[in-house]
Amino acid sequence: MELDGKIIGIISNDFKEEELSGKKVKDIITKKTDEALKMVKLDSSIKEELFDNLSSRDKGKVILASHLHEKEIKLVNFSKGMIKKDLEYFNNLFKRIISYGRKIILIDKNTELFLNCIDHIYIIENNTIIYETKNIFDAILTKYIDLPKIVEFILASEENGIRLDYYVEIDELLKAIYRIKS
């Protein structure tokens, strides 16, 4: 199955997380370990830790660090345990990574990760693409996933006759609402 895009969001249960149980971080990240860890905001002292003992958040970072040198990086449930600040950092990092000719495939149910980041969204069931869009504001997506709250709000506003641009930052949305009220 060929997927278009540089940073691709996939909503699917067809993919499994990597099985790295029992391995130490230094055995998972084998290329330019210290640089890779630094890039994903982990201290190099983590190298001796067992993957099983890491938080969900750090497990995702270790998996990303281990794939940084691959042409296609596939991350399953990467956002697990991450806070909004982490997601913003990784959105920017993903954009830097693709500037080196790589492709990132994010298989995740957390659509906050997709905000202002991905260029294609695929809904996949039984290894078949059942829906494809380039727009996180596509109302059809609500059949398959919970959209980010800001997207839900903008779509609900449109249903009620209030036209708002497609904002992905809450500050910009609040300014737009204030301008409407004035």
Side-chain angles (χ1 to χ4, degrees), residues 10-167:
I10 295 179
I11 293 94
S12 176
N13 292 321
D14 294 353
F15 299 87
K16 303 288 180 237
E17 292 182 44
E18 280 188 66
E19 184 50 53
L20 299 170
S21 184
K23 292 185 177 184
K24 285 189 175 186
V25 171
K26 69 180 181 182
D27 299 324
I28 297 168
I29 306 171
T30 56
K31 293 182 180 167
K32 298 184 179 180
T33 307
D34 290 332
E35 292 89 347
L37 287 171
K38 185 177 180 181
M39 194 169 224
V40 298
K41 290 194 163 185
L42 286 173
D43 189 78
S44 61
S45 63
I46 201 171
K47 290 189 279 191
E48 294 300 322
E49 294 287 327
L50 271 177
F51 185 78
D52 305 335
N53 296 341
L54 300 176
S55 66
S56 318
R57 175 182 178 192
D58 287 347
K59 285 179 179 177
K61 291 177 179 183
V62 166
I63 291 169
L64 173 58
S66 72
H67 294 296
L68 282 174
H69 300 287
E70 296 175 10
K71 202 74 171 146
E72 185 175 280
I73 301 170
K74 188 184 306 179
L75 301 170
V76 180
N77 296 323
F78 177 74
S79 69
K80 195 185 313 179
M82 295 206 183
I83 59 175
K84 184 171 177 59
K85 189 174 182 179
D86 293 328
L87 296 178
E88 289 170 0
Y89 172 77
F90 285 104
N91 281 349
N92 291 326
L93 179 60
F94 294 155
K95 290 173 184 171
R96 274 197 353 239
I97 291 169
I98 64 162
S99 72
Y100 295 108
R102 293 186 171 81
K103 180 185 279 194
I104 299 174
I105 300 173
L106 301 167
I107 302 142
D108 214 304
K109 299 267 184 184
N110 181 357
T111 54
E112 294 291 334
L113 178 64
F114 296 169
L115 256 183
N116 200 25
C117 176
I118 53 101
D119 51 23
H120 278 72
I121 300 173
Y122 293 92
I123 308 294
I124 298 176
E125 288 181 7
N126 300 321
N127 288 321
T128 303
I129 298 170
I130 60 171
Y131 190 70
E132 173 186 352
T133 184
K134 292 181 179 184
N135 186 358
I136 190 74
F137 292 91
D138 186 333
I140 294 172
L141 287 174
T142 59
K143 292 183 193 177
Y144 304 103
I145 54 171
D146 291 330
L147 293 171
K149 295 296 181 209
I150 193 168
V151 174
E152 285 180 3
F153 180 84
I154 291 170
L155 292 176
S157 297
E158 283 181 357
E159 286 177 15
N160 290 309
I162 301 169
R163 174 76 179 106
L164 294 170
D165 288 334
Y166 291 155
Y167 296 99

